[in-house]
Amino acid sequence: MPTSCTSHVLVTGGSGFIGSHTVLELINQGHKVVVVDNLSNSCEEPLRRIEKLAGLNEESLPFHNVDLANIDDLRAVFKQYNFSSVIHFAALKAVGESVRVPLAYYRNNITGTLNLMDLMIEFGVKDIVFSSSATVYKSDPDGRPFREDSELGCTSPYGRTKLYMESIIRDVVGAESGWNAIMLRYFNPTGAHESGTMGEDPCQIPNNLMPYVSQVAIGKLDNVHVFGNDYNTRDGTGVRDYIHVMDLAEAHVIALERLTGNHGYEVFNLGSGAGQSVLEMIDAMSIACGHKIPYVVDPRRSGDIDTIVCDPKKANEVLGFKVSRDLTKMCTDLWRWQVANPEGYNQ
Ligand code: NAD
Ligand code: UDP
């Protein structure tokens, strides 16, 4: 029997970028949350910022520094609380790194998920929302918007871990009675909380476009390197579907609440359905920061394709979810966070 009778949502990876914004939104919507994270790509400071924004006492947000690979440590957390559901963010996520050290990605992402699912079965917790990604789709040379039933296929070990994790969860839902699972396939998350106190804090030189652009804007890096301007797009640079992290956070709360409707296994895209090119993103960020952001054009990055955008219809119609923050808001919020926290959470 758990020590606590109150029902909690377990959030794995809850001190990371998307997890921390979601934890704040969950608390604001009245949910009780427990965060598990091994801090391999984050720190505890976002949790302190969440407490301030949510009006909680300092260090009152339950946090356990646990690696999902360690099932005994994780079991101790399950013993302590009465979990109603799980939102599973914890994963390694750098595509390039996953090509260099694939076993670390398989070990971390797959073992962590297997342990989590084992414990959910052991403790009778049957509802899960999972962080999946647009990377699970097989690339489409014509750049058509991906639907949830588009063909799947990955080109990196990271992407394959996401596909395998989706499959593991789907198979458990099929084998066990009473389970509900929602896979959320995110497109390109960016932006920050509008307070300017929470945002993305890449531990190294950013791999992704927007944190890189924002570090150039503040002068920490010299130029944006635009990876190719000979794509079949309106200005030759790659087009992606950017989504504000607070829209994502809100979508997780909607998904969590849908789990109680017993719909079994479901998959949803989370994106705007619109695409922006690299140059359009640099221009939008230049407007937000009030000066021109310098860039140079480099060769294409291996593995990139022209256009990746989603068809957001299913999330609109079934979840009732639609993005409400536009490109200007993504850039102004990102810039506010960057200016207030030039060194990220390590002030
Ligand atoms: P993040 O790295 O900021 O957050 C992930 C968190 O998980 C980190 O705090 C890290 O310390 C923790 N973690 C990793 N392995 C762990 C383990 N074994 N045990 C406990 N904690 C562990 O990443 P994010 O951008 O917030 O992404 C969250 C999720 O969304 C990930 O699963 C990622 O694959 C997925 N996703 C991210 C993007 C994106 O562009 N950011 C896009 C699509 C999907
Ligand atoms: N990109 C770029 N320079 C960078 C990082 C990314 O030109 O420093 C481009 C990349 O080629 C793609 C888009 O920006 O067209 C988004 O890349 P990101 O890595 O942010 O996300 P992805 O869609 O690849 O997951």
Side-chain angles (χ1 to χ4, degrees), residues 95 188 206-210 212 224-228 231 237-240 242 278 301 304-306 308:
V95 175
N188 290 62
N207 293 307
N208 293 116
L209 178 67
M210 289 312 282
Y212 201 105
V224 181
H225 294 262
V226 175
F227 297 149
Y231 284 105
T237 66
V239 167
R240 297 292 182 273
Y242 295 88
V278 175
R301 181 172 67 180
D304 276 353
I305 60 165
D306 310 55
I308 301 179

Side-chain angles (χ1 to χ4, degrees), residues 126-318:
K126 298 182 171 188
D127 286 344
I128 183 167
V129 175
F130 175 65
S131 287
S132 191
S133 166
T135 191
V136 299
Y137 291 114
K138 186 169 194 285
S139 60
D140 176 18
D142 297 325
R144 281 175 298 220
F146 289 109
R147 292 160 37 119
E148 289 77 357
D149 56 2
S150 295
E151 195 178 347
L152 303 179
C154 306
T155 51
S156 74
Y158 164 70
R160 274 186 283 278
T161 68
K162 286 284 159 194
L163 253 190
Y164 297 153
M165 289 186 281
E166 282 196 0
S167 306
I168 289 166
I169 296 170
R170 191 192 56 221
D171 289 344
V172 171
V173 174
E176 300 274 323
S177 67
W179 271 70
N180 300 292
I182 293 185
M183 310 294 104
L184 296 178
R185 292 180 181 154
Y186 319 149
F187 280 65
N188 290 62
T190 187
H193 188 264
E194 66 181 357
S195 63
T197 63
M198 291 174 57
E200 186 170 10
D201 182 13
C203 295
Q204 293 137 4
I205 293 184
N207 293 307
N208 293 116
L209 178 67
M210 289 312 282
Y212 201 105
V213 170
S214 143
Q215 292 196 9
V216 173
I218 203 157
K220 285 180 76 177
L221 296 167
D222 290 342
N223 292 298
V224 181
H225 294 262
V226 175
F227 297 149
N229 65 355
D230 57 351
Y231 284 105
N232 183 21
T233 59
R234 45 189 176 264
D235 62 19
T237 66
V239 167
R240 297 292 182 273
D241 185 337
Y242 295 88
I243 175 168
H244 195 294
V245 65
M246 287 310 299
D247 277 329
L248 268 189
E250 288 171 10
H252 283 77
V253 179
I254 295 171
L256 188 81
E257 289 167 359
R258 181 171 169 82
L259 291 173
T260 56
N262 289 319
H263 300 283
Y265 179 87
E266 295 182 297
V267 180
F268 296 98
N269 287 336
L270 292 180
S272 69
Q276 274 90 30
S277 74
V278 175
L279 295 182
E280 286 163 355
M281 295 307 284
I282 296 174
D283 281 349
M285 198 61 188
S286 296
I287 293 168
C289 74
H291 61 265
K292 268 257 165 274
I293 298 174
Y295 67 86
V296 292
V297 177
D298 280 6
R300 291 180 176 202
R301 181 172 67 180
S302 157
D304 276 353
I305 60 165
D306 310 55
T307 299
I308 301 179
V309 292
C310 83
D311 180 339
K313 197 162 167 237
K314 186 176 174 197
N316 290 176
E317 290 180 353
V318 180

Side-chain angles (χ1 to χ4, degrees), residues 62-93:
F63 168 65
H64 297 268
N65 184 344
V66 163
D67 191 325
L68 298 192
N70 188 327
I71 195 164
D72 292 331
D73 288 357
L74 193 55
R75 183 178 285 108
V77 180
F78 270 81
K79 277 187 180 157
Q80 198 178 330
Y81 300 94
N82 174 22
F83 291 127
S84 53
S85 49
V86 175
I87 305 185
H88 181 29
F89 292 102
L92 297 176
K93 63 162 185 176

